Amino acid sequence: MAELSTLARPYAKAAFAYAQQASDLSGWSAALATAAAVSQSEKVSELLENPQLTSEQRADIFLSIISDDLSESGKNFIRLLAENHRLPLLPEISALFEELKAQAESTLEVEVVSARALSDAQAAELTKALGNKFGREVHLHSSVDETLLGGAIVRAGDTVIDGTVRGRLAKLAEAMNS
C-alpha cells in the first residue's frame, strides 16, 4: 500500500496544485472520484491492464467512458496517467487529493466505529472535542460494529484512537507483562 501512495503522491499533488490555481477544487475532486470509480470497474480494469493496447488507446477508451465528466485539463491529466502507465493508480490519487483538499480547507474526515450507535449529543460532543484536538473543522462519519464489546475506534487521517474495551484490556495486559 505504501508503494501505491508513493507512486500516486506526485500526481495527486500536481492535480491539487492545478485545481487550487484554477479555483476548482470541488470540480477536480468530483472528476477524480468518478475516474477512480470507473477505473475500479472489473471490465475497465481488464482494459487498462491489456498489454496489447498502447497508452494512447487506453487513454482514448477510458476517456470515451467518462469524457462528459472531465474538463479539458482533466482529459489531459488522464492522458498523462495513461502515458506513464498510472491509470490503475486513480483510486489512490483521488484519495490523496481528498486529503490535500481537506488539509487546505482545514477540515478533517473522521470515522468512528462504535459498539452502539452514537446519539446526536454524543456525536456533537465528539465532533467538538476532536475539532479542538486537531484544530480543524471535523466531519464525523459513524458506524456500528456489534463485535466490539464497548467503546469506539476513532480514525482521523493517520491517527487512530482505540477506546474500545478490547483495546483497553490489551494495553492493561501489556503493562502487566512488562
Side-chain angles (χ1 to χ4, degrees), residues 34-55:
T34 301
V38 168
S39 74
Q40 290 178 312
S41 158
E42 190 175 323
K43 289 183 180 182
V44 173
S45 183
E46 288 175 17
L47 283 171
L48 297 179
E49 295 171 8
N50 185 344
Q52 296 173 341
L53 296 176
T54 65
S55 298

Side-chain angles (χ1 to χ4, degrees), residues 76-140:
N76 289 337
F77 185 70
I78 296 297
R79 287 186 190 100
L80 175 73
L81 291 176
E83 183 180 315
N84 293 320
H85 307 286
R86 299 291 190 244
L87 283 174
L89 292 178
L90 273 165
E92 191 67 26
I93 292 169
S94 178
L96 290 169
F97 183 93
E98 290 303 320
E99 287 177 20
L100 292 168
K101 180 179 174 232
Q103 195 172 23
E105 294 174 342
S106 293
T107 61
L108 183 63
E109 298 294 322
V110 176
E111 178 188 355
V112 177
V113 180
S114 58
R116 291 185 209 96
L118 296 176
S119 69
D120 290 342
Q122 289 171 322
E125 186 178 334
L126 186 57
T127 299
K128 183 179 177 186
L130 291 171
N132 291 337
K133 177 177 175 58
F134 292 109
R136 294 181 174 177
E137 179 184 335
V138 172
H139 296 162
L140 192 71

Side-chain angles (χ1 to χ4, degrees), residues 1 5 16 21 25 63 80 92 98 103 119 156 163 171 177:
M1 185 83 143
S5 294
F16 178 76
Q21 178 186 9
L25 287 176
L63 288 172
L80 175 73
E92 191 67 26
E98 290 303 320
Q103 195 172 23
S119 69
K171 287 179 192 174
N177 289 331

